[in-house]
Structure formats: structure tokens, C-alpha cells
Amino acid sequence: MIEDNGIVIAFWILSATTIACALMTAAVRELVQAVLFLALTFVGAAGIYICLSADFVAVAQILIYAGAVSVLMTFAVMLTPAADRHNSETIFQAPALVLSGLLLAVIVFVVLDTDWAISDAGAFQTTAASLGEAFLKPYVVPFEVASVLLMVAMIGAIVLTRELEEDDDA
Amino acid sequence: MHSPVLTLVLHLEEVLIVGAALFAIGLYVALSKRNAIGILMGIELMLNAVNITFLGFARMSVSEDPIQGHVFAVFVITVAAAEAAVALALAVAIYKHRETVNIDQIDLLRW
């Protein structure tokens, strides 16, 4: 457990902000506003990561989620101008609400019922160096596979959105 | 060093419950939204919730090598970025053909 007043207060403020922004993502009726609230959620989650002394993951979160993914989503909304911008729900709204409520109840029950093995190791001093070592020693194969995955995804995205020049004879 | 009047404590359970709440919101968004980009937002919310859970365990639970949780969180972020790129490209590609990204109007495979 964490016994630092500042970190605990920061954690609860950030958690409240993050969950409120996530709820707003679900509630607002304008798709662009939903993307903006989602970006705020990502920033709040990065703050929570810092409270859990995960400095490298927090920076990666800001760079990739708050930076790249939010911009990508804004682009996707802007590139579909004639589509319905209303952030509405399908007929599955009520079942989805019930299902996610049930899931939350089950997880909370399990979390409170389990006797977790808590370590008293304390906060990480710094994680970047040990993460780099982990990526290049025991996890070098998954690391390379992730690189290939990113490249395949990039090529795939380009191929999917490419304008075909021989469209007229197709 | 002065002794603090009040010591606040953050338990693992509280971190896990925050992660679970975020995951439930993400699941609701992913299951209920009509717009494909809205559904993708729900999926990203769920991935973030899982990352909070991973990092909470890495920080507080007993482990031989606590950095493993961080390694997995970085992989989750990587795969989420790849997934977002491909999914948004798919949404734009569908929009070019159908002028919509509403999932209840994309029923090409329905007979």
C-alpha cells in the first residue's frame, strides 16, 4: 500500500477526474466532444500511472494516447463529414448498461473478497532503465514482434485508406 | 521530522476498483454506441483500465520482478496504437463506400 498523503490525495483527485471524463465520453451527444473528453481521460490515466510510480508508462501514455490516438480519432471524425455526428446508442443500450453494471459488481466483489499478497517493496526509484533492460534481454522476441506489428498496422492503414486510381474501370 | 497528524493510505483494492469502474464504462460505451468511432473509444477506455490494473499490481503486489507489469503495460499501449490505426482506417474506408459509419447501417453480410 501507499502511505504518502500527497500521492493518495492526488490519486483520488485524478481518479475522480478520469472517471468523470469517461462518463462524459459516454454521455455527451457530440462525437467531437466525446473525443476531447476521451483525451482528458487519457491524461487523467497518465496521472494515475505516475501515482503508481510508473514514470515511463505515464510518459508513453501521454505521447501515444493523449497525443497520437486522440489526434487519429479526431481525424477519423473529421474525415467522415457526412456521417452522423450524433453520439447515439443502438437498441443494445439497456443490455449494455446491465452487463457493464453486473461486471463492475462482480469485479468489486472479487477484489474486496480476495486476500491480496501485498509487498512492502515501496515505490520504484526509476523504471526507464530496468524497462529497457527487460525489453532487450528477456522480452526481446515480443519486443521485435511488437515492432513488426506496428509496421504491419501502418502499412495496413495506408492500404485501406488509399485512393485507387483505377477506380473508374472497376 | 514532524509526525503527520493524519496518514492517508491507498490500498491495492482501491486501485483495482478504479480500474474496474473505468473498464465498466468502456464496456458500456463499446457495446452501446452506434458510431464505429464511438465503439473504438470504448475499447481504448477498456485498455486504459487494464493498464491501471497492471500498474497497480506492479506497484503493490508481491512479485519476483515487479517491472513485468510495466513491460506488459507498454505492450498493451503498442497494440492499442496499432489497433486504433487499423480500426480508424477501416472506418474511413467503409465511409467512402457507404457514407456512414453507423454499425446498424453497415449490414452487408446480413441476408
Side-chain angles (χ1 to χ4, degrees):
Chain A
M1 51 190 148
I2 300 176
E3 285 174 327
D4 185 312
N5 282 4
I7 290 181
V8 177
I9 293 170
F11 175 83
W12 284 118
I13 292 174
L14 286 164
S15 298
T17 318
T18 308
I19 291 178
C21 288
L23 284 173
M24 288 302 287
T25 306
V28 287
R29 301 289 83 185
E30 183 69 35
L31 204 59
V32 181
Q33 291 175 3
V35 175
L36 293 179
F37 275 112
L38 191 73
L40 264 180
T41 315
F42 292 156
V43 176
I48 294 178
Y49 298 169
I50 291 176
C51 291
L52 297 169
S53 83
D55 48 1
F56 181 84
V57 184
V59 173
Q61 164 94 1
I62 301 253
L63 277 175
I64 297 170
Y65 270 113
V69 173
S70 324
V71 171
L72 208 59
M73 283 187 164
T74 317
F75 259 106
V77 174
M78 298 296 175
L79 284 174
T80 54
D84 190 10
R85 287 272 175 86
H86 191 69
N87 193 15
S88 58
E89 281 86 10
T90 58
I91 49 165
F92 296 109
Q93 182 180 19
L97 205 57
V98 171
L99 190 68
S100 43
L102 276 178
L103 182 83
L104 179 62
V106 168
I107 295 180
V108 168
F109 174 76
V110 170
V111 162
L112 294 179
D113 202 47
T114 310
D115 193 17
W116 301 104
I118 299 298
S119 97
D120 47 4
F124 298 99
Q125 289 305 311
T126 171
T127 59
S130 39
L131 258 178
E133 198 158 306
F135 276 129
L136 292 181
K137 277 178 188 163
Y139 298 103
V140 65
V141 175
F143 182 72
E144 296 299 332
V145 171
S147 325
V148 174
L149 174 78
L150 275 179
M151 195 187 70
V152 170
M154 193 176 73
I155 296 172
I158 293 170
V159 169
L160 280 171
T161 51
R162 193 175 48 148
E163 294 280 355
L164 289 175
E165 280 174 23
E166 55 277 337
D167 244 0
D168 37 8
D169 47 20
Chain B
M1 192 174 155
H2 67 98
S3 61
V5 193
L6 173 73
T7 310
L8 298 172
V9 179
L10 183 66
H11 297 98
L12 176 61
E13 285 87 345
E14 289 149 5
V15 179
L16 297 186
I17 287 172
V18 168
L22 212 55
F23 189 90
I25 298 170
L27 182 68
Y28 165 72
V29 172
L31 288 180
S32 69
K33 290 298 175 192
R34 174 168 280 140
N35 194 301
I37 300 167
I39 291 172
L40 198 69
M41 288 189 224
I43 295 171
E44 301 292 342
L45 273 179
M46 285 196 278
L47 290 165
N48 267 283
V50 170
N51 267 353
I52 290 178
T53 310
F54 270 130
L55 296 173
F57 275 122
R59 169 72 176 77
M60 293 193 217
S61 80
V62 174
S63 163
E64 288 172 21
D65 188 10
I67 206 72
Q68 285 174 344
H70 293 225
V71 171
F72 215 113
V74 171
F75 280 128
V76 168
I77 291 178
T78 313
V79 175
E83 169 251 315
V86 174
L88 292 172
L90 273 174
V92 172
I94 289 172
Y95 172 79
K96 274 189 201 160
H97 290 280
R98 316 273 308 213
E99 291 271 304
T100 182
V101 286
N102 285 357
I103 49 153
D104 48 1
Q105 288 166 12
I106 303 166
D107 49 6
L108 220 68
L109 287 179
R110 187 187 283 173
W111 53 281

